[in-house]
Amino acid sequence: MSDFVRIETRGPVLLVTLDRPEKRNAMNAEMTLALDVAFDRLDDDPALRVAVLAAEGPFFCAGTDLRTGAGPHTERGGMYGVIRRRRRKPLVAAVGGPALGGGFELVLAADLVVAARDAWFALPETTRGRVPAAGGLFRAPDRLPRNVAVELMLTAGRLEAERAYQLGLANRLTETKDVLAVALDLALATCVGAPEAVAELFTGLHAVAAAGDEAGWAATRTAMTTLLSSDDRTEGNAAFVQRRAPRWVPDDDVRRTVLG
């Protein structure tokens, strides 16, 4: 299906593994299509009860590959083929390393999270002249205390896994070597309930969240549209490609004072 996404079944569990470690599992169009196909399969196959999203290498996911883009949004899944999907089956994120930008937003799209002790989470989009566009703008303040989420988005700071666990973002905290095993165990534990009951539970959860989500997506769309042709976004992209700090105008002197 894809050189960058591995898909396998383990009984009722669909294991989906991002496999582009040389690029920190940054999402491209091929990966988006592969995730869309994988989660369509989860939705449509009654033998599958739950999915685990894992990653190969030291990074979980660094978000969108800014050089190539992540491809178009898919009909059923939206960005990355999963971000706006209305699943009726649970998704467990097995986070064995840093998850930043869209990678963190993939985690925020999951229902349960297992994190390695040395993993960390970040939303650094403002340092590239952007805002979190894959749900982070409103899901991060929903899943974390609002002031913690706002600090992450304003400062591009890191949320270490242990604190994420203490704040309730992660369900389990474990050693890196055990992340996948613990995630698979947690996934299997979700299979004790009746399939239709679980499906209706998710239908209810989506219904409750719908109004807030629509407002969040509208706010995200407005912000991204405004920034699309901005000088800040152009400079942010250039800085990323050239591997340097961005030079904002007119407040670059302030940035140098703060960052040294």
Side-chain angles (χ1 to χ4, degrees):
M1 180 187 300
S2 168
D3 292 335
F4 303 131
V5 177
R6 302 198 314 268
I7 300 170
E8 58 185 294
T9 57
R10 300 195 180 185
V13 181
L14 182 70
L15 175 59
V16 183
T17 304
L18 305 179
D19 192 9
R20 200 187 180 207
E22 71 281 0
K23 295 295 185 180
R24 297 182 174 182
N25 293 313
M27 294 292 299
N28 62 15
E30 181 180 329
M31 296 170 75
T32 290
L33 179 60
L35 288 186
D36 190 58
V37 171
F39 286 100
D40 282 354
R41 180 178 174 185
L42 175 70
D43 290 342
D44 299 339
D45 186 345
L48 294 172
R49 299 286 309 277
V50 57
V52 171
L53 180 62
E56 188 67 37
F59 266 71
F60 177 76
C61 178
T64 296
D65 187 329
L66 294 186
R67 290 181 175 85
T68 67
H73 296 191
T74 68
E75 182 178 355
R76 291 171 65 176
M79 192 171 185
Y80 304 154
V82 64
I83 294 295
R84 296 189 70 167
R85 186 174 292 269
R86 288 185 174 272
R87 289 176 290 97
R88 287 163 60 85
K89 300 174 185 179
L91 170 60
V92 181
V95 187
L100 57 152
F104 187 13
E105 290 169 299
L106 279 171
V107 175
L108 291 170
D111 306 296
L112 303 171
V113 179
V114 175
R117 293 184 185 278
D118 58 355
W120 48 268
F121 306 88
L123 290 169
E125 282 84 354
T126 59
T127 67
R128 302 300 177 205
R130 303 163 180 256
V131 297
L137 186 67
F138 55 95
R139 285 177 177 165
D142 181 63
R143 300 280 288 274
L144 292 164
R146 182 182 182 278
N147 59 318
V148 173
V150 171
E151 180 181 351
L152 287 177
M153 290 187 280
L154 286 178
T155 69
R158 297 183 179 186
L159 177 66
E160 302 294 339
E162 185 167 352
R163 190 174 184 216
Y165 176 69
Q166 293 169 349
L167 293 173
L169 176 70
N171 298 80
R172 303 283 189 275
L173 186 65
T174 186
E175 303 303 323
T176 302
K177 64 181 178 62
D178 298 324
V179 166
L180 182 56
V182 173
L184 289 169
D185 284 346
L186 184 56
L188 286 171
T190 69
C191 297
V192 299
E196 283 301 313
V198 171
E200 289 306 313
L201 180 137
F202 274 90
T203 298
L205 289 173
H206 289 311
V208 170
D213 279 2
E214 286 307 312
W217 287 121
T220 300
R221 185 166 54 252
T222 298
M224 290 299 294
T225 300
T226 301
L227 291 169
L228 190 60
S229 60
S230 72
D231 291 340
D232 281 354
R233 182 184 173 102
T234 301
E235 169 59 16
N237 285 347
F240 174 80
V241 171
Q242 297 167 20
R243 298 189 177 185
R244 60 171 172 80
R247 295 187 286 268
W248 308 126
V249 177
D251 60 349
D252 198 45
D253 289 340
V254 173
R255 180 181 175 83
R256 283 196 293 270
T257 301
V258 173
L259 299 181

PDB file of all heavy atoms in Angstrom, residues 56-78:
ATOM      1  N   GLU A  56       7.604   4.176  13.661  1.00  0.00           N
ATOM      2  CA  GLU A  56       8.939   3.606  13.627  1.00  0.00           C
ATOM      3  C   GLU A  56       9.962   4.710  13.890  1.00  0.00           C
ATOM      4  O   GLU A  56       9.802   5.841  13.431  1.00  0.00           O
ATOM      5  CB  GLU A  56       9.199   2.979  12.249  1.00  0.00           C
ATOM      6  CG  GLU A  56      10.484   2.192  12.139  1.00  0.00           C
ATOM      7  CD  GLU A  56      10.476   0.934  12.997  1.00  0.00           C
ATOM      8  OE1 GLU A  56       9.411   0.287  13.101  1.00  0.00           O
ATOM      9  OE2 GLU A  56      11.533   0.612  13.575  1.00  0.00           O
ATOM     10  N   GLY A  57      11.015   4.388  14.650  1.00  0.00           N
ATOM     11  CA  GLY A  57      12.081   5.353  14.866  1.00  0.00           C
ATOM     12  C   GLY A  57      11.903   6.181  16.115  1.00  0.00           C
ATOM     13  O   GLY A  57      10.932   6.019  16.862  1.00  0.00           O
ATOM     14  N   PRO A  58      12.836   7.097  16.359  1.00  0.00           N
ATOM     15  CA  PRO A  58      12.816   7.864  17.611  1.00  0.00           C
ATOM     16  C   PRO A  58      11.729   8.928  17.692  1.00  0.00           C
ATOM     17  O   PRO A  58      11.427   9.406  18.782  1.00  0.00           O
ATOM     18  CB  PRO A  58      14.208   8.506  17.647  1.00  0.00           C
ATOM     19  CG  PRO A  58      14.634   8.573  16.217  1.00  0.00           C
ATOM     20  CD  PRO A  58      14.040   7.370  15.557  1.00  0.00           C
ATOM     21  N   PHE A  59      11.151   9.343  16.557  1.00  0.00           N
ATOM     22  CA  PHE A  59      10.079  10.336  16.557  1.00  0.00           C
ATOM     23  C   PHE A  59       8.746   9.649  16.303  1.00  0.00           C
ATOM     24  O   PHE A  59       8.655   8.735  15.472  1.00  0.00           O
ATOM     25  CB  PHE A  59      10.308  11.387  15.467  1.00  0.00           C
ATOM     26  CG  PHE A  59      11.018  12.622  15.940  1.00  0.00           C
ATOM     27  CD1 PHE A  59      12.363  12.584  16.268  1.00  0.00           C
ATOM     28  CD2 PHE A  59      10.339  13.819  16.071  1.00  0.00           C
ATOM     29  CE1 PHE A  59      13.023  13.719  16.704  1.00  0.00           C
ATOM     30  CE2 PHE A  59      10.984  14.967  16.508  1.00  0.00           C
ATOM     31  CZ  PHE A  59      12.338  14.918  16.834  1.00  0.00           C
ATOM     32  N   PHE A  60       7.691  10.110  16.991  1.00  0.00           N
ATOM     33  CA  PHE A  60       6.345   9.663  16.636  1.00  0.00           C
ATOM     34  C   PHE A  60       5.951  10.306  15.310  1.00  0.00           C
ATOM     35  O   PHE A  60       5.700   9.613  14.321  1.00  0.00           O
ATOM     36  CB  PHE A  60       5.352  10.012  17.738  1.00  0.00           C
ATOM     37  CG  PHE A  60       3.928   9.646  17.401  1.00  0.00           C
ATOM     38  CD1 PHE A  60       3.510   8.326  17.458  1.00  0.00           C
ATOM     39  CD2 PHE A  60       3.016  10.613  17.023  1.00  0.00           C
ATOM     40  CE1 PHE A  60       2.200   7.973  17.128  1.00  0.00           C
ATOM     41  CE2 PHE A  60       1.707  10.282  16.702  1.00  0.00           C
ATOM     42  CZ  PHE A  60       1.305   8.954  16.757  1.00  0.00           C
ATOM     43  N   CYS A  61       5.910  11.628  15.270  1.00  0.00           N
ATOM     44  CA  CYS A  61       5.599  12.323  14.027  1.00  0.00           C
ATOM     45  C   CYS A  61       5.909  13.802  14.197  1.00  0.00           C
ATOM     46  O   CYS A  61       5.548  14.411  15.207  1.00  0.00           O
ATOM     47  CB  CYS A  61       4.125  12.132  13.650  1.00  0.00           C
ATOM     48  SG  CYS A  61       3.628  12.996  12.139  1.00  0.00           S
ATOM     49  N   ALA A  62       6.574  14.373  13.180  1.00  0.00           N
ATOM     50  CA  ALA A  62       6.915  15.797  13.201  1.00  0.00           C
ATOM     51  C   ALA A  62       5.894  16.641  12.456  1.00  0.00           C
ATOM     52  O   ALA A  62       6.156  17.795  12.129  1.00  0.00           O
ATOM     53  CB  ALA A  62       8.305  16.008  12.615  1.00  0.00           C
ATOM     54  N   GLY A  63       4.725  16.076  12.152  1.00  0.00           N
ATOM     55  CA  GLY A  63       3.678  16.838  11.483  1.00  0.00           C
ATOM     56  C   GLY A  63       3.815  16.794   9.972  1.00  0.00           C
ATOM     57  O   GLY A  63       4.357  15.845   9.405  1.00  0.00           O
ATOM     58  N   THR A  64       3.335  17.825   9.315  1.00  0.00           N
ATOM     59  CA  THR A  64       3.362  17.881   7.856  1.00  0.00           C
ATOM     60  C   THR A  64       4.778  18.105   7.348  1.00  0.00           C
ATOM     61  O   THR A  64       5.525  18.911   7.911  1.00  0.00           O
ATOM     62  CB  THR A  64       2.460  19.022   7.355  1.00  0.00           C
ATOM     63  OG1 THR A  64       1.106  18.735   7.728  1.00  0.00           O
ATOM     64  CG2 THR A  64       2.542  19.193   5.855  1.00  0.00           C
ATOM     65  N   ASP A  65       5.139  17.414   6.284  1.00  0.00           N
ATOM     66  CA  ASP A  65       6.397  17.687   5.595  1.00  0.00           C
ATOM     67  C   ASP A  65       6.220  19.017   4.865  1.00  0.00           C
ATOM     68  O   ASP A  65       5.499  19.099   3.864  1.00  0.00           O
ATOM     69  CB  ASP A  65       6.701  16.558   4.601  1.00  0.00           C
ATOM     70  CG  ASP A  65       8.074  16.693   3.963  1.00  0.00           C
ATOM     71  OD1 ASP A  65       8.535  17.834   3.786  1.00  0.00           O
ATOM     72  OD2 ASP A  65       8.674  15.644   3.632  1.00  0.00           O
ATOM     73  N   LEU A  66       6.871  20.068   5.360  1.00  0.00           N
ATOM     74  CA  LEU A  66       6.661  21.401   4.805  1.00  0.00           C
ATOM     75  C   LEU A  66       7.261  21.558   3.416  1.00  0.00           C
ATOM     76  O   LEU A  66       6.943  22.510   2.700  1.00  0.00           O
ATOM     77  CB  LEU A  66       7.241  22.458   5.755  1.00  0.00           C
ATOM     78  CG  LEU A  66       6.559  22.584   7.116  1.00  0.00           C
ATOM     79  CD1 LEU A  66       7.131  23.755   7.892  1.00  0.00           C
ATOM     80  CD2 LEU A  66       5.049  22.746   6.976  1.00  0.00           C
ATOM     81  N   ARG A  67       8.117  20.627   3.028  1.00  0.00           N
ATOM     82  CA  ARG A  67       8.683  20.700   1.677  1.00  0.00           C
ATOM     83  C   ARG A  67       7.713  20.165   0.626  1.00  0.00           C
ATOM     84  O   ARG A  67       7.681  20.649  -0.496  1.00  0.00           O
ATOM     85  CB  ARG A  67      10.008  19.939   1.613  1.00  0.00           C
ATOM     86  CG  ARG A  67      11.151  20.607   2.379  1.00  0.00           C
ATOM     87  CD  ARG A  67      12.437  19.810   2.245  1.00  0.00           C
ATOM     88  NE  ARG A  67      13.549  20.505   2.865  1.00  0.00           N
ATOM     89  CZ  ARG A  67      13.858  20.441   4.158  1.00  0.00           C
ATOM     90  NH1 ARG A  67      13.107  19.690   4.961  1.00  0.00           N
ATOM     91  NH2 ARG A  67      14.877  21.102   4.654  1.00  0.00           N
ATOM     92  N   THR A  68       6.938  19.155   0.970  1.00  0.00           N
ATOM     93  CA  THR A  68       6.066  18.509  -0.008  1.00  0.00           C
ATOM     94  C   THR A  68       4.582  18.697   0.275  1.00  0.00           C
ATOM     95  O   THR A  68       3.754  18.513  -0.617  1.00  0.00           O
ATOM     96  CB  THR A  68       6.340  16.993  -0.054  1.00  0.00           C
ATOM     97  OG1 THR A  68       5.942  16.399   1.203  1.00  0.00           O
ATOM     98  CG2 THR A  68       7.822  16.716  -0.278  1.00  0.00           C
ATOM     99  N   GLY A  69       4.235  19.035   1.514  1.00  0.00           N
ATOM    100  CA  GLY A  69       2.848  19.071   1.919  1.00  0.00           C
ATOM    101  C   GLY A  69       2.343  17.675   2.235  1.00  0.00           C
ATOM    102  O   GLY A  69       2.991  16.666   1.925  1.00  0.00           O
ATOM    103  N   ALA A  70       1.184  17.607   2.866  1.00  0.00           N
ATOM    104  CA  ALA A  70       0.609  16.326   3.289  1.00  0.00           C
ATOM    105  C   ALA A  70      -0.453  15.815   2.335  1.00  0.00           C
ATOM    106  O   ALA A  70      -1.118  14.824   2.621  1.00  0.00           O
ATOM    107  CB  ALA A  70       0.005  16.462   4.690  1.00  0.00           C
ATOM    108  N   GLY A  71      -0.612  16.461   1.190  1.00  0.00           N
ATOM    109  CA  GLY A  71      -1.622  16.020   0.247  1.00  0.00           C
ATOM    110  C   GLY A  71      -2.994  16.575   0.602  1.00  0.00           C
ATOM    111  O   GLY A  71      -3.193  17.200   1.647  1.00  0.00           O
ATOM    112  N   PRO A  72      -3.989  16.328  -0.251  1.00  0.00           N
ATOM    113  CA  PRO A  72      -5.335  16.853  -0.005  1.00  0.00           C
ATOM    114  C   PRO A  72      -6.035  16.155   1.149  1.00  0.00           C
ATOM    115  O   PRO A  72      -5.693  15.018   1.491  1.00  0.00           O
ATOM    116  CB  PRO A  72      -6.060  16.573  -1.327  1.00  0.00           C
ATOM    117  CG  PRO A  72      -5.340  15.404  -1.911  1.00  0.00           C
ATOM    118  CD  PRO A  72      -3.895  15.564  -1.519  1.00  0.00           C
ATOM    119  N   HIS A  73      -6.978  16.842   1.744  1.00  0.00           N
ATOM    120  CA  HIS A  73      -7.825  16.228   2.762  1.00  0.00           C
ATOM    121  C   HIS A  73      -8.675  15.147   2.105  1.00  0.00           C
ATOM    122  O   HIS A  73      -9.110  15.300   0.960  1.00  0.00           O
ATOM    123  CB  HIS A  73      -8.727  17.275   3.415  1.00  0.00           C
ATOM    124  CG  HIS A  73      -7.963  18.327   4.160  1.00  0.00           C
ATOM    125  ND1 HIS A  73      -8.586  19.221   4.998  1.00  0.00           N
ATOM    126  CD2 HIS A  73      -6.651  18.633   4.217  1.00  0.00           C
ATOM    127  CE1 HIS A  73      -7.690  20.038   5.522  1.00  0.00           C
ATOM    128  NE2 HIS A  73      -6.498  19.698   5.054  1.00  0.00           N
ATOM    129  N   THR A  74      -8.911  14.077   2.832  1.00  0.00           N
ATOM    130  CA  THR A  74      -9.695  12.981   2.263  1.00  0.00           C
ATOM    131  C   THR A  74     -11.173  13.138   2.615  1.00  0.00           C
ATOM    132  O   THR A  74     -11.531  13.834   3.572  1.00  0.00           O
ATOM    133  CB  THR A  74      -9.187  11.624   2.768  1.00  0.00           C
ATOM    134  OG1 THR A  74      -9.463  11.501   4.166  1.00  0.00           O
ATOM    135  CG2 THR A  74      -7.692  11.470   2.518  1.00  0.00           C
ATOM    136  N   GLU A  75     -12.012  12.492   1.843  1.00  0.00           N
ATOM    137  CA  GLU A  75     -13.459  12.660   2.005  1.00  0.00           C
ATOM    138  C   GLU A  75     -13.939  12.212   3.381  1.00  0.00           C
ATOM    139  O   GLU A  75     -14.737  12.894   4.029  1.00  0.00           O
ATOM    140  CB  GLU A  75     -14.198  11.883   0.921  1.00  0.00           C
ATOM    141  CG  GLU A  75     -15.709  12.041   0.987  1.00  0.00           C
ATOM    142  CD  GLU A  75     -16.425  11.301  -0.113  1.00  0.00           C
ATOM    143  OE1 GLU A  75     -15.752  10.730  -1.000  1.00  0.00           O
ATOM    144  OE2 GLU A  75     -17.672  11.282  -0.092  1.00  0.00           O
ATOM    145  N   ARG A  76     -13.465  11.079   3.860  1.00  0.00           N
ATOM    146  CA  ARG A  76     -13.953  10.540   5.129  1.00  0.00           C
ATOM    147  C   ARG A  76     -13.098  10.944   6.322  1.00  0.00           C
ATOM    148  O   ARG A  76     -13.591  10.975   7.457  1.00  0.00           O
ATOM    149  CB  ARG A  76     -14.049   9.014   5.048  1.00  0.00           C
ATOM    150  CG  ARG A  76     -15.146   8.538   4.118  1.00  0.00           C
ATOM    151  CD  ARG A  76     -15.116   7.047   3.874  1.00  0.00           C
ATOM    152  NE  ARG A  76     -15.387   6.253   5.067  1.00  0.00           N
ATOM    153  CZ  ARG A  76     -15.494   4.927   5.067  1.00  0.00           C
ATOM    154  NH1 ARG A  76     -15.358   4.251   3.920  1.00  0.00           N
ATOM    155  NH2 ARG A  76     -15.745   4.264   6.187  1.00  0.00           N
ATOM    156  N   GLY A  77     -11.834  11.256   6.081  1.00  0.00           N
ATOM    157  CA  GLY A  77     -10.929  11.491   7.198  1.00  0.00           C
ATOM    158  C   GLY A  77     -10.424  12.892   7.373  1.00  0.00           C
ATOM    159  O   GLY A  77      -9.930  13.250   8.430  1.00  0.00           O
ATOM    160  N   GLY A  78     -10.529  13.718   6.320  1.00  0.00           N
ATOM    161  CA  GLY A  78      -9.981  15.056   6.413  1.00  0.00           C
ATOM    162  C   GLY A  78      -8.462  15.030   6.349  1.00  0.00           C
ATOM    163  O   GLY A  78      -7.861  14.183   5.691  1.00  0.00           O
TER     164      GLY A  78
END
